[in-house]
Amino acid sequence: MDNHEQDEHSGPRVVWAVVGSGIGPLLLAATREGLVNVVFHATDAVRDRALARLASRLGTEPVEAPGSPLLAEAARQLEAYFASERRDFELPLDWSLLSGRAGFNGQALRELAATVPYGTVVGYGELAGRVGRPGAAQAVGVAMGSNPLPVVVPCHRVVENDGGIGGFGGGMETKRALLALEGVLPEPLF
């Protein structure tokens, strides 16, 4: 058995694949627990940095495995989402990369995933209130920025209360494209 092969009972095996999407290549990574990371703009350089970060954070070298059942299912669901044929993701999630996953960031992301459906948006301040921290809009922004599972956990649906669309780790064009796909914004002109 070489170093890349770990049996079912050893440490957390991490598998990954890059898939095409309506917003460019996405790196998907999973552990035995579930999907652990979605990374935007997965060019070679971005992919290599993401894989090094995964190895460092999870303590095991990620193995390319596009045929992994979990990655194949995630790719299938993402493809259906970008084709406007799916509104919800039904995938096991592994929150290992979320710092303070039991704390505010985890609460805010879980609340978002549970209560802000496809085609709707929520303000940073409103989401803060929903997790019992009214006035913590800025902390919600930080939590959304820490989201290791964008698109699947829809941080693109969190916007500014004044009508601005707010920041986004994947870039503003990506956020606009996702909101347009869901019918929240008009399609971008360019």
Side-chain angles (χ1 to χ4, degrees), residues 24-188:
L26 298 174
L27 170 75
L28 306 179
T31 65
R32 290 188 178 93
E33 301 238 334
L35 193 65
V36 72
N37 206 193
V38 176
V39 180
F40 292 115
H41 316 301
T43 58
D44 291 353
V46 169
R47 179 201 66 210
D48 292 347
R49 278 196 305 273
L51 292 173
R53 196 169 54 246
L54 281 166
S56 160
R57 294 282 304 277
L58 299 176
T60 185
E61 202 60 42
V63 177
E64 187 172 14
S68 146
L70 181 57
L71 292 178
E73 180 59 19
R76 193 185 66 71
Q77 290 188 26
L78 281 160
E79 185 179 332
Y81 169 82
F82 285 107
S84 298
E85 295 164 359
R86 170 178 276 278
R87 292 172 164 237
D88 300 301
F89 294 97
E90 296 167 26
L91 297 165
L93 303 179
D94 178 341
W95 293 95
S96 297
L97 295 177
L98 183 62
S99 51
R101 57 184 174 245
F104 182 78
N105 290 0
Q107 285 181 308
L109 286 164
R110 285 185 182 88
E111 181 70 16
L112 166 71
T115 66
V116 184
Y118 183 99
T120 66
V121 294
V122 65
Y124 291 94
E126 184 184 339
L127 188 56
R130 288 185 191 179
V131 292
R133 293 269 304 274
Q138 200 166 2
V140 165
V142 171
M144 296 305 109
S146 74
N147 182 8
L149 295 160
V151 185
V152 175
V153 176
C155 54
H156 59 275
R157 296 181 191 151
V158 184
V159 298
E160 292 174 352
N161 294 340
D162 64 6
I165 70 168
F168 192 61
M172 299 312 291
E173 284 177 36
T174 301
K175 185 169 187 173
R176 280 192 195 95
L178 290 167
L179 291 171
L181 173 73
E182 295 190 11
V184 177
L185 284 179
E187 284 290 345

